[in-house]
Amino acid sequence: MITGAAGLLGRVLRERLRSRYALVLLDQAPMDAAGEGEAVFQCSITDAAALRRAMQGVDSVVHLAGVSTEAPWDAIRDANIEGCYQTFEAAYQAGVRRMVFASSNHAIGFYPRTRALDGSEPVRPDTRYGVSKAFGEALASYYADKFGLSAVCLRIGTARSPDEPGDIRHLSTWLSHRDLAELVICSIEAPVHYQVVFGASANQRNWWRDDGAQAIGFTPQDNAEDWADRLTATPSDLDPIARNLQGGSFCAWEHPGAGNTD
Ligand code: 15L
């Protein structure tokens, strides 16, 4: 199952995984009609009964649904806290084997760019959104340890459309669509109990030297550096808070000291 199947990453994964797996596609937004080997469910991830019906017979859930950027608390709470909980609970009730949770680099966004992370550090969320991703990682750990629902949490960097880095920060954080698909396949199939993995391509300027990727056998192929010559500075490259921290502009949003360019 892919939750959030109508979103950008959901559409990329639908396209790239359909030849390998039978897919159950779930989103509250409308989606293209089910093709061969697909089933489509249009419902909210806060609707526990609908979730449970849709999950019957599902082996793995790739949980992408939710608010994907900073937002007011009630939106984050409903989708990324309550909806995330309902998704894990429904998966457990339905006997799902593996959860692949779309976490985010914003769970650790307040680490400086000079610090190479290996995934074992305490979280340092940069937004309410980042806090909700740290919640999802904790929830995944809880369901794995208590109920045996194994999980891989993907701290995704920047996967975008068009499928290329768009600013200087992305030279470190970019995750190509090809690498995203491979990362998710490894996350579904690796024999692990609970694992945090950074989701980035083989970028020369990568800040994340984790062994999580090794643990699931993920070897990225693409390198954002191929676009380096074409990228120019953006406003967030000038703000010292955004420029120096891994979460970039997410760290500067609502920050009392942001907006200084000296
Ligand atoms: C994320 O978590 C967001 O979903 C995405 O829109 C990007 O902002 C990305 O992080 C990023 O850090 O570039």
Side-chain angles (χ1 to χ4, degrees):
M1 169 180 284
I2 300 173
T3 72
L8 169 65
L9 302 194
R11 282 179 280 123
V12 168
L13 290 175
R14 180 178 185 177
E15 187 58 42
R16 290 178 180 253
L17 300 189
R18 59 158 48 117
S19 61
R20 191 176 183 97
Y21 308 112
L23 296 178
V24 178
L25 304 156
L26 186 140
D27 205 300
Q28 63 183 359
M31 288 161 281
D32 289 346
E36 205 188 318
E38 291 182 335
V40 166
F41 286 86
Q42 195 177 346
C43 70
S44 163
I45 52 167
T46 56
D47 183 343
L51 271 181
R52 223 168 297 161
R53 271 195 304 277
M55 277 188 201
Q56 291 315 310
V58 164
D59 170 77
S60 305
V61 175
V62 180
H63 182 41
L64 307 175
V67 175
S68 64
T69 187
E70 182 60 318
W73 174 245
D74 52 358
I76 296 281
R77 179 197 59 212
D78 291 352
N80 295 17
I81 305 291
E82 176 65 17
C84 189
Y85 174 76
Q86 294 298 348
T87 304
F88 273 80
E89 179 59 20
Y92 166 53
Q93 295 292 341
V96 167
R97 176 188 61 86
R98 170 65 47 85
M99 293 297 288
V100 180
F101 172 60
S103 183
S104 168
N105 72 92
H106 297 290
I108 49 82
F110 262 104
Y111 281 98
R113 294 187 185 191
T114 49
R115 172 95 181 259
L117 302 183
D118 67 9
S120 65
E121 304 79 6
V123 292
R124 290 183 76 176
D126 56 26
T127 39
R128 292 176 289 277
Y129 165 69
V131 171
S132 76
K133 293 302 182 184
F135 168 82
E137 292 185 5
L139 194 66
S141 174
Y142 162 69
Y143 271 96
D145 285 343
K146 187 161 276 187
F147 304 112
L149 176 51
S150 66
V152 177
C153 296
L154 303 177
R155 288 185 180 161
I156 297 172
T158 308
R160 54 195 299 277
S161 180
D163 186 17
E164 59 186 46
D167 66 25
I168 288 166
R169 176 175 169 274
H170 297 166
L171 294 175
S172 305
T173 62
W174 186 55
L175 175 65
S176 71
H177 294 179
R178 168 167 74 157
D179 287 338
L180 167 69
E182 179 62 20
L183 175 61
V184 169
I185 290 169
C186 292
S187 301
I188 290 170
E189 298 182 7
V192 291
H193 170 69
Y194 175 80
Q195 188 67 52
V196 172
V197 183
F198 284 98
S201 284
N203 304 323
Q204 205 167 303
R205 305 189 201 190
N206 204 341
W207 304 313
W208 306 315
R209 305 285 173 210
D210 65 310
D211 45 27
Q214 264 185 334
I216 63 163
F218 169 56
T219 309
Q221 303 297 321
D222 296 309
N223 183 351
E225 208 62 26
D226 298 343
W227 280 265
D229 291 349
R230 278 168 271 171
L231 300 174
T232 49
T234 61
S236 67
D237 296 316
L238 302 176
D239 182 305
I241 292 172
R243 189 179 63 220
N244 294 326
L245 298 168
Q246 298 193 2
S249 59
F250 282 52
C251 299
W253 281 341
E254 301 172 3
H255 192 298
N260 306 314
T261 50
D262 51 288

